[in-house]
Amino acid sequence: MEYRILVSHPTGEPPPEGYPVIYALDGHAVFHTLAESARVQTRGPHGFDPVVIVGIGYPSGEAFDMSRRCNDFTMPARQSTLPKRPDGREWPEYGGADSFLAVLADDIMPLISGLFPVDRRRQALFGHSLGGLFVLHALFTRPSLFSHYAAGSPSIWWGDYTLLTELEAFLTAYPNMQLPRQLMITVGADELEHMVRDSEQLLPRLEPLAEHGLQARLVKFAEESHLTVLPATLSRLLRFTLERG
């Protein structure tokens, strides 16, 4: 499978520990906004540290390539658990999240670390909607891969909430991992009611892991819907990844 990788990188000498990196799904939808936000917000002397932005897109160049993203960002599910699509068409092929996660870990991340010195303590993964679902799937199944996980408006409902089964396994395993990790979930207050509710209900279930190093937060943006929330989320993503404690 082919991917189109979009990269924005700082100029000048890298910091001694290397650059933080943000990997953003649906690259053609978010890359330019995120890269420009980073350019503005990393200006000295009061800006954040310089950062490498990596947008992961597809050869089609579509902002949201539904056929590819549906397969890449979702876990296997029974057809009967999926809602009807707004346009009435059948769902594209789905269920390839683990395969895409392997591509990310084995091909894309080594490619970037081969091009730039990388601060492995600050590597973030961001996705929106089905991409947000994928981010949570990555955290619950491969928590060692990134330090920061940012799930925008995650489609937790996918496959009759199969993600919650992964959550239960994660809750059991994480205390033994000794992995300080950060999670941010964002959602627009004017999104579908169940989208907001699902995100709000996930946070309390993660609270017991705070003592084991998982810092989780929910950011709800007033007067924003499923798509209008994206620019605000991308701006907050930079602070989430780059702000030093």
Side-chain angles (χ1 to χ4, degrees):
M1 303 291 283
E2 293 186 15
Y3 295 87
R4 182 171 293 173
I5 308 301
L6 311 172
V7 180
S8 172
H9 61 89
T11 58
E13 288 294 318
E17 64 274 22
Y19 292 120
V21 182
I22 297 176
Y23 294 88
L25 308 179
D26 291 316
H28 289 285
V30 304
F31 173 77
H32 294 290
T33 300
L34 183 56
E36 182 63 15
S37 297
R39 187 184 70 83
V40 171
Q41 295 188 34
T42 57
R43 293 182 63 195
H46 303 296
F48 295 124
D49 293 338
V51 58
V52 174
I53 305 295
V54 180
I56 304 171
Y58 302 105
S60 69
E62 294 180 22
F64 296 99
D65 186 325
M66 190 58 188
S67 294
R68 291 292 305 274
R69 73 193 299 270
C70 185
N71 190 46
D72 280 349
F73 301 164
T74 64
M75 303 85 83
R78 297 190 310 276
Q79 180 74 37
S80 61
T81 66
L82 303 182
K84 290 184 178 180
R85 296 178 65 193
D87 59 11
R89 292 188 293 175
E90 293 292 322
W91 282 90
E93 185 177 354
Y94 55 84
D98 284 332
S99 295
F100 176 56
L101 195 51
V103 170
L104 191 54
D106 299 338
D107 297 316
I108 297 176
M109 295 179 73
L111 171 67
I112 298 304
S113 62
L115 294 173
F116 309 101
V118 169
D119 183 353
R120 299 185 184 278
R121 298 168 303 169
R122 288 193 291 171
Q123 294 193 94
L125 176 65
F126 167 74
H128 175 75
S129 196
L130 287 178
L133 170 74
F134 178 83
V135 169
L136 293 173
H137 171 72
L139 172 62
F140 295 162
T141 62
R142 296 284 296 272
S144 62
L145 203 52
F146 299 93
S147 59
H148 295 67
Y149 293 79
S153 307
S155 300
I156 298 172
W157 53 265
W158 176 264
D160 198 19
Y161 292 87
T162 187
L163 182 77
L164 300 185
T165 301
E166 297 180 351
L167 170 62
E168 292 305 318
F170 178 71
L171 291 172
T172 300
Y174 189 80
N176 299 318
M177 294 180 184
Q178 301 298 316
L179 287 173
R181 291 293 179 262
Q182 294 195 44
L183 166 66
M184 179 178 69
I185 298 175
T186 61
V187 67
D190 291 346
E191 297 198 44
L192 293 173
E193 183 178 348
H194 74 87
M195 296 283 290
V196 179
R197 182 185 65 247
D198 290 346
S199 293
E200 291 176 334
Q201 292 180 348
L202 189 63
L203 263 292
R205 302 184 68 170
L206 293 167
E207 285 179 359
L209 299 184
E211 62 181 292
H212 301 288
L214 180 67
Q215 300 178 39
R217 71 192 77 170
L218 172 70
V219 181
K220 184 160 65 172
F221 292 98
E223 300 181 359
E224 301 292 356
S225 63
H226 192 62
L227 289 180
T228 66
V229 73
L230 258 176
T233 295
L234 295 175
S235 178
R236 186 62 61 92
L237 171 64
L238 290 166
R239 184 198 307 178
F240 168 66
T241 306
L242 302 177
E243 192 170 54
R244 295 183 181 270

